[in-house]
Amino acid sequence: MTTVYDVPADTLIKRVAEKLKEMPEFTPPEWAKFVKTGVHKERAPEQDDWWWIRVASIFRKVYIDGPVGIERLRTAYGGRKNRGVKPEKFKKGSGSIIRKALQQLENAGFVTKTKEGRIVTPKGRSFLDKIATEIKNEIPELAKY
């Protein structure tokens, strides 16, 4: 049985983002065209499909690290803030983007909220594992794993 751990993360995230685009539950909010992904960024994302890529990435993070909350995910998506002459400091990522992504994943039935944090449901686990199996069958170098 192939799982998320057995395939490269970038390939999995791209493939999951393509599948999420086809689902009606996953639509970017109105403000997604103009927003930065955190205070440490200087500009908004340049990719047109960045919303689905971020949702797929959060989905994978919840699968691997779950149960996980919004604050831990904000830390994972944070980065160094350029403060000019002063030394750089770590700043957390946008909480609103993560919150909306998790709400969309919950509405689709892929993630559920528990007392400890968000976890992946069996439906979400099978969704990701099926995509991981497809990727493993397509890439011959992964056959030995």
Side-chain angles (χ1 to χ4, degrees):
M1 176 78 185
T2 306
T3 62
V4 170
Y5 302 103
D6 302 330
V7 295
D10 59 337
T11 310
L12 179 74
I13 290 170
K14 286 177 191 171
R15 187 74 57 89
V16 171
E18 290 171 7
K19 300 273 186 184
L20 294 180
K21 275 187 198 178
E22 300 166 2
M23 303 175 114
E25 293 94 355
F26 299 98
T27 56
E30 300 171 1
W31 45 262
K33 296 178 224 163
F34 314 108
V35 72
K36 299 190 307 181
T37 57
V39 294
H40 62 285
K41 296 290 187 179
E42 292 187 5
R43 287 184 243 146
E46 293 178 357
Q47 296 172 314
D48 293 331
D49 60 345
W50 75 269
W51 179 261
W52 293 280
I53 293 171
R54 180 57 60 100
V55 172
S57 175
I58 289 171
F59 192 12
R60 181 181 170 276
K61 280 253 187 231
V62 173
Y63 182 102
I64 291 173
D65 297 336
V68 64
I70 293 172
E71 283 300 312
R72 275 189 45 204
L73 289 171
R74 284 186 68 198
T75 304
Y77 288 99
R80 290 188 319 197
K81 167 87 171 146
N82 183 0
R83 304 187 316 151
V85 181
K86 298 179 280 190
E88 296 171 337
K89 269 190 167 178
F90 178 83
K91 296 292 182 181
K92 291 183 178 181
S94 171
S96 182
I97 293 172
I98 294 169
R99 201 169 12 265
K100 300 290 186 249
L102 287 171
Q103 288 169 356
Q104 289 181 357
L105 287 167
E106 285 175 16
N107 289 339
F110 293 148
V111 171
T112 186
K113 192 187 299 188
T114 63
K115 193 170 134 182
E116 293 85 24
R118 304 250 188 355
I119 58 170
V120 177
T121 62
K123 179 182 174 184
R125 190 170 294 278
S126 69
F127 178 79
L128 285 177
D129 288 344
K130 283 178 188 173
I131 295 173
T133 304
E134 292 172 9
I135 292 170
K136 188 170 180 183
N137 292 337
E138 291 174 7
I139 302 175
E141 290 84 23
L142 295 175
K144 60 184 174 184
Y145 297 105

